[in-house]
Structure formats: C-alpha cells, structure tokens
Amino acid sequence: MLNRIFGFLKKPTSRDILINTIGNYLNVFFTAFFAFLLVRILEPSDYGVLSVLLGIAYVLANILDFGTTASIYSYLPAMIEKKHKNLYVFLKTIFSYQTGFSAIVIAILFIFFPYLDKVFFKTGAPPSELYITTFSVLFLIWQNYAINALNAAKKFLQANVYLNVSNIAKTIIILGLIPLKLITVGSIIFVFGILGPLLFFLFLFFEKKYVFVQIAKAKVNKKEFRFGYTLTFFIASQFFNLALRMDLFLLSFFLSKSPEVGYYGLSQKIILTVMASITSITQVLSPRFSDIKTKEQVIKEFKHGAVYLLVPTALFIALFFTPNIVFEIFFTKEFIKTALITKNLSLAFLLYSHLNLPLLFLLYTVKKPKYILYSNIAVFLIITLGCYYSIPLIGVSGPPYALFAAIFIAGLIQIGYTVKEYNKLPDA
C-alpha cells in the first residue's frame, strides 16, 4: 500500500500539483503577511484606501484577461509539444491583443478615475495615487500572462519561484521604506503593482532570454487570437465571477449594517482559500486535457483528476466537521457565528471540486466554451434569484441553498454536454 502511495506521489502530475499548491499557498501567506504588516504601519483610514485601490487593480487585471487564459491553456501545450512554427506568433498575438484592448480600458480609467473616485469609490486619494493604481493594472495583466504561459508549458516550479521570490523582494523593499518614512498608499501600490511584476519579468528574462527575442521577432496574426473562443470564455467567466459575489452583495442589500454580513464575508474568504487548492490542481490538469484525442485518454485523465480533486473535497468535509472552538480560537468569540455559516457553505461547495473535470474537458479538450457560458448563466440566475427570495425569509441560511442548487444544476448541464462530446471521440 505504501509503495502505491509513494509511486503515486512520484508521478510528474503529482509533483507539479504539489509544487503549484505550495506556491499558491505561499502567495496566500505573503498576502496575509502584508496585511499583518501594513495594518501596523498605516492609519486605518489609509489602509482602507489602500485596500480599495489594490482591490480595483486586482479585479481589473482579472477582468482584462479577456479570456486569454483559456486560449493559452488550450492551444499552447500542443504547440510546444509539436514545436509548431506559429508558437511565438501565438504568444505575441495573445500578448499584443490583450495589451491593446487593456490599454483602451486603462486609458479611459486614467481619464475618469478621479471623477469615479469622487462619486463612487470615495477614497479621497490624491490623483497621483489613482494614476499609479491605473498603471499597475497593465503590469499585473502582463504578470498574469507570463504565469499562465509558464503553467501551460508545465513550468510550474519556475512560475512559483519567480512569483514568490518577487514577494520576498517586495517584503524587503517595504521593510526598507519604513525607517525612511516613505511608506504611503502610493508607494505601497507602486511596490505591489508595478515593481513586483517588473521583478518577476526580470527573473524570467535572465532564464528565458531567447524566448523574449523570438517573441519580439514574431509577427502578429489575428487568427491566433481566436476571437470566438477567447471572448466566449471571457463572457462565461464574468458570469461566474459575478455569481460568486451576488450572495454577499444581496446580503448587504437586505441586511445592511447587520453583523451577519461580516460573519458571512469571513466565511466566504475561508471557502475561497480552500478553492485556491482547486485552482492549483486544475492549472496542472489543464495542459493535460488539451492533449486528449481519444475516449481512452478521457477516462484516464478523469480518473487521475478525480483522485487529485479528492484533496479539496476532503478539505470541505474537514471544514464541516471542524469544532466550533477552532473557529473561536482563530476568529474570537465575536465571530463564532462564522462557524455555522462556513459549515453550510462547505456543504454547498462539496460537489464543486469534481465538477471541474467536465469543465476542463469542454474547455480544453473539445474547445467549446459556449457550453461553459450556458452553465455559468444558469449559475448566475440561480444564485441571484435564490438569494433574492431566500435572504428575506431565512437570512444568511439562504445563500448556501442557492449555491448548492446552482453548482448542482451547472454540473448536470456540463456533464450532459460532456457525454455528448465524449461520444464523438474515437475509442483509441
């Protein structure tokens, strides 16, 4: 039995998942450490401004992905394996179009950000800090592009090493600015949003100079952007991302200023932390699914993926059985109601881990993101309507029911399309 376990852990996929999981959680650790450090340096009002501005930068960087992540994971692994002549054309085209579209949005934000801040965000930050935030979005987009390309090329160790060495460098720089009394909201955003990504690219450049040169020499070919595939997945992902926030938005709407909204928000962060382990696994599985050509390969990858995804499923189960005293130790008695909400949410997400398998198949094997769009629209509608009608009746107990129903229905939709597309594949 032990030999089988060790043999399983020695597999390249197991190694990559372990590396990626450790790397992702190290990144989570640094995020928590920065929060721990900065709340002791900044005034509460300044920390609030920083949180809003960084939140805007990170959200925009994800939105302005424009679905290119799916294209990179779907097409790059096969190009690398076959040493396709258009490899660098593909990389440059994705980079160029994503940068171009993002630059338009960023330019508009640059012009209207002071006005938006005045009427909506209301941070009161000086224009210089707003403009630094605006520029940081582009650098974060470029960093995400490079990480996705490295992951699709199965260079998980390099991606995580560069990212976390960059985190260490940011920590050292922040610590160095403290005695110089140069810690401001603007300087922190500059370090996090501009200097950090620049350091990441510097590390990458020293190891992959020839790749930078080849991409610079390559032409841009509009066909390589695959507008239909990329933009369909982009729209689908926005429906899903918005759906996962509708529960908290509607709780805030119906239970304004209620402490239960705070309890739920904390529970949601705990669930999202567990979901980071799912991302670590699916990032490794994605290039493998893009290589599938036969029914035999589908069954093989589904079996492998199901085993790896038992880990986050086990974490959701562990959350459900975690004694309330543990929540009290970590979050104090004031937040003890978080325990029940977290347990309810863990049950709601119990099926989510393994339902990523049909998603990976539809997105990367048969390359039909329209099916993901259909299921994500269903998720958005079920969560929105479920929370809208249940919250006034049963408060914070309502969203977990809506989330479970949404995940279950979306799973049925994706499984149905998976069976349909699976039957079209050759046996071997």
Side-chain angles (χ1 to χ4, degrees), residues 251 255 260 344 386-387 389-402:
L251 277 169
L255 306 177
E260 289 186 318
N344 290 337
C387 290
Y389 287 106
S390 66
I391 291 172
L393 295 174
I394 53 177
V396 291
S397 298
Y401 289 107

Side-chain angles (χ1 to χ4, degrees), residues 104-390:
I104 294 170
V105 177
I106 290 169
I108 294 171
L109 179 65
F110 185 88
I111 295 169
F112 292 103
F113 205 173
Y115 175 76
L116 287 173
D117 186 67
K118 183 178 180 180
V119 300
F120 185 73
F121 298 114
K122 297 182 180 180
T123 65
S128 60
E129 293 177 358
L130 300 179
Y131 296 144
I132 291 172
T133 303
T134 305
F135 282 119
S136 72
V137 173
L138 189 60
F139 287 88
L140 291 169
I141 290 169
W142 288 341
Q143 179 177 274
N144 290 343
Y145 162 84
I147 290 172
N148 288 325
L150 286 168
N151 286 342
K154 301 178 183 178
K155 303 293 184 182
F156 300 101
L157 180 61
Q158 289 93 325
N160 283 290
V161 167
Y162 299 152
L163 183 61
N164 284 294
V165 170
S166 171
N167 282 331
I168 293 171
K170 287 188 290 187
T171 305
I172 293 171
I173 292 168
I174 291 293
L175 291 173
L177 292 176
I178 294 173
L180 298 175
K181 297 183 179 180
L182 294 175
I183 291 291
T184 64
V185 170
S187 66
I188 294 169
I189 294 173
F190 178 80
V191 172
F192 283 10
I194 297 177
L195 192 56
L198 280 176
L199 290 171
F200 178 92
F201 272 99
L202 186 63
F203 302 141
L204 182 59
F205 177 77
F206 281 129
E207 185 178 349
K208 304 287 184 183
K209 283 184 185 178
Y210 71 95
V211 174
F212 280 80
V213 173
Q214 292 299 322
I215 292 176
K217 290 180 179 178
K219 296 180 179 179
V220 174
N221 184 345
K222 185 171 71 174
K223 292 181 180 179
E224 293 294 344
F225 191 71
R226 297 172 173 84
F227 281 90
Y229 179 93
T230 303
L231 296 182
T232 301
F233 177 70
F234 168 69
I235 296 169
S237 61
Q238 298 316 306
F239 269 108
F240 186 76
N241 291 334
L242 182 58
L244 289 187
R245 288 163 176 78
M246 287 307 297
D247 51 353
L248 193 58
F249 290 163
L250 288 170
L251 277 169
S252 180
F253 175 77
F254 285 112
L255 306 177
S256 180
K257 297 182 180 179
S258 169
E260 289 186 318
V261 179
Y263 304 147
Y264 191 92
L266 180 55
S267 295
Q268 191 179 62
K269 288 183 179 180
I270 295 170
I271 295 297
L272 291 174
T273 301
V274 176
M275 289 176 70
S277 65
I278 300 175
T279 303
S280 301
I281 295 168
T282 55
Q283 282 177 335
V284 176
L285 295 178
S286 297
R288 298 178 65 88
F289 271 81
S290 69
D291 291 335
I292 291 174
K293 298 293 185 293
T294 66
K295 290 180 180 177
E296 183 181 351
Q297 291 175 312
V298 172
I299 298 300
K300 180 181 177 182
E301 290 305 327
F302 265 63
K303 286 181 178 178
H304 283 166
V307 173
Y308 294 120
L309 288 167
L310 284 173
V311 175
T313 300
L315 290 175
F316 284 128
I317 294 172
L319 272 179
F320 179 77
F321 287 105
T322 300
N324 289 357
I325 187 66
V326 175
F327 289 91
E328 187 177 321
I329 291 170
F330 277 94
F331 306 116
T332 73
K333 288 183 178 180
E334 190 176 352
F335 283 87
I336 192 60
K337 289 185 179 180
T338 296
L340 179 60
I341 298 171
T342 303
K343 292 178 181 183
N344 290 337
L345 286 175
S346 66
L347 289 180
F349 279 90
L350 197 57
L351 300 176
Y352 179 75
S353 301
H354 285 83
L355 289 177
N356 275 269
L357 293 173
L359 183 147
L360 292 173
F361 173 79
L362 294 171
L363 190 58
Y364 300 123
T365 302
V366 299
K367 297 176 174 58
K368 293 188 177 179
K370 63 181 181 180
Y371 298 144
I372 310 302
L373 175 59
Y374 302 154
S375 65
N376 285 355
I377 290 174
V379 168
F380 175 78
L381 291 175
I382 293 169
I383 291 177
T384 301
L385 294 175
C387 290
Y388 183 83
Y389 287 106
S390 66

